[in-house]
Amino acid sequence: MSKIKPSKGAPYARILGVGGYRPTRVVPNEVILETIDSSDEWIRSRSGIETRHWAGPEETVAAMSIEAAGKAIADAGISAEQVGAVVVSTVSHFSQTPAVATEIADKLGTDRAAAFDISAGCAGFGYGLTLAKGMVVEGSAEYVLVIGVERLSDLTDLEDRATAFLFGDGAGAVVVGPSKEPAIGPTVWGSEGDKSETIKQTVSWDRFRIGDVSELPLDSQGNIKFPAITQEGQAVFRWAVFEMAKVAQQALDAAGISADDLDVFIPHQANVRIIDSMVKTLKLPEHVTVARDVRTTGNTSAASIPLAMERLLATGEAKSGDTALVIGFGAGLVYAATVVTLP
């Protein structure tokens, strides 16, 4: 018989507060058209994107995270000292170690909170939320801060017609804490590594260490390009529309509800066409509010779901207590979907 005592966590977990940060610079499609042969009409018809936010020198991954996290902590009605763990999902923090989560935890004023980064692309928020729920229920932390943050403008090839218009910067955060009733459903998550080539970094960092520049991509001026995100657009679109709609339905089934029970749908903000296709495939009723924050924020990867959630609540399009389906999907290919009660 085991001598280990049972954990003393909460019976359930819930999202208690949400916060977001969007960089001050707003970039319209006209700026993107300076480096690619396209049109505003083409960009809008393909993606729905009209503007995006790009971070300035002072709007670092850490700085944006701290702003968003501070709002989430205040919204949750707790103090930073009560945060027991900080989970940061990002692919655009370029220092391999230490984790940016440790800097964020310190500057927020937590009391030696556990802190670590995860890399799960556009599904990163769902992964972090699942980890946070487990910590609260298991009892290793009473309150967990989950942050999705990206500076994807640093990983954008402005000469790549297929992706130059897609990406934006920002940070979104939530506080997960104890609940007396179920408020975060079972997570349906997974990966399809056989499709990893469909979304990837153009060049690995070690190519620069080796010093052989013969195979490195060059820009129109003959300069070596910084590594960027590239994707096979049509393959990603088909996968997202057909396979992720199935995952979203599985998350509804796991939570024991139907589409009719939903109040809000917050998918990863990749593309309006993908979002609209998923709405149609899932046969969501007209009363369901659908997040389309991508129009003015662009694709912010791990930050997109909490940023969209924060905006819906701020504008009154969604309200506290609403039942929402959230699903993230992206590079890997990875995905995560769950049903939550909005804070």
Side-chain angles (χ1 to χ4, degrees):
M1 180 179 293
S2 174
K3 297 179 180 179
I4 299 174
K5 295 180 180 180
S7 59
K8 297 181 180 180
Y12 305 104
R14 69 182 305 120
I15 299 175
L16 299 173
V18 61
Y21 179 83
R22 292 172 172 81
T24 56
R25 183 188 177 192
V26 177
V27 179
N29 288 338
E30 286 72 20
V31 172
I32 307 298
L33 296 175
E34 294 174 3
T35 52
I36 61 171
D37 180 17
S38 188
S39 68
D40 177 62
E41 190 272 335
W42 186 89
I43 293 174
R44 291 182 188 230
S45 65
R46 290 280 177 164
S47 68
I49 298 173
E50 304 165 8
T51 61
R52 73 284 292 147
H53 295 256
W54 282 356
E58 303 301 318
E59 292 169 312
T60 64
V61 165
M64 292 190 293
S65 297
I66 290 167
E67 289 290 331
K71 294 176 183 177
I73 290 170
D75 192 43
I78 66 170
S79 66
E81 291 87 350
Q82 293 175 274
V83 174
V86 178
V87 183
V88 178
S89 178
T90 185
V91 298
S92 48
H93 175 59
F94 296 144
S95 180
Q96 191 71 37
T97 191
V100 71
T102 60
E103 176 186 350
I104 294 166
D106 176 63
K107 291 186 175 179
L108 284 172
T110 65
D111 184 16
R112 299 185 180 182
F116 59 95
D117 299 349
I118 60 174
S119 176
C122 304
F125 175 74
Y127 275 51
L129 185 65
T130 303
L131 294 173
K133 173 187 174 182
M135 283 185 268
V136 171
V137 173
E138 186 272 338
S140 59
E142 185 176 12
Y143 300 101
V144 180
L145 180 63
V146 179
I147 302 169
V149 57
E150 301 292 2
R151 273 182 57 116
L152 293 184
S153 59
D154 291 335
L155 287 168
T156 299
D157 180 355
L158 294 178
E159 295 182 348
D160 180 0
R161 188 173 184 269
T163 61
F165 59 90
L166 287 175
F167 303 120
D169 304 335
V174 299
V175 172
V176 177
S179 174
K180 294 181 180 179
E181 59 184 13
I184 301 176
T187 300
V188 177
W189 57 352
S191 65
E192 298 185 38
D194 60 315
K195 300 180 180 67
S196 61
E197 291 295 304
T198 56
I199 305 175
K200 64 180 182 179
Q201 185 173 304
T202 52
V203 182
S204 64
W205 300 111
D206 63 358
R207 295 302 304 168
F208 291 84
R209 182 184 65 180
I210 294 170
D212 179 8
V213 300
S214 61
E215 297 182 5
L216 295 178
L218 305 177
D219 64 19
S220 58
Q221 304 302 314
N223 301 311
I224 296 174
K225 287 185 177 182
F226 192 75
I229 297 173
T230 185
Q231 68 176 30
E232 298 174 13
Q234 288 301 315
V236 172
F237 182 87
R238 289 192 297 270
W239 177 77
V241 169
F242 297 108
E243 297 304 319
M244 291 305 97
K246 297 176 186 177
V247 171
Q249 183 60 56
Q250 290 169 12
L252 290 175
D253 295 341
I257 66 172
S258 69
D260 290 335
D261 298 313
L262 279 180
D263 300 303
V264 185
F265 179 43
I266 311 177
H268 165 48
Q269 300 294 291
N271 181 309
V272 167
R273 290 172 62 209
I274 291 175
I275 294 170
D276 290 345
S277 295
M278 291 182 71
V279 168
K280 183 177 180 180
T281 301
L282 288 168
K283 298 180 181 179
L284 297 186
E286 290 187 6
H287 74 261
V288 176
T289 297
V290 179
R292 295 184 176 87
D293 191 47
V294 65
R295 294 188 186 279
T296 56
T297 305
N299 180 343
T300 56
S301 189
S304 78
I305 290 176
L307 277 174
M309 182 184 296
E310 185 262 352
R311 174 162 281 174
L312 288 177
L313 289 167
T315 59
E317 296 173 83
K319 62 183 184 299
S320 175
D322 278 353
T323 300
L325 169 63
V326 299
I327 178 170
F329 44 86
L333 295 169
V334 296
Y335 55 86
T338 188
V339 175
V340 303
T341 301
L342 294 182

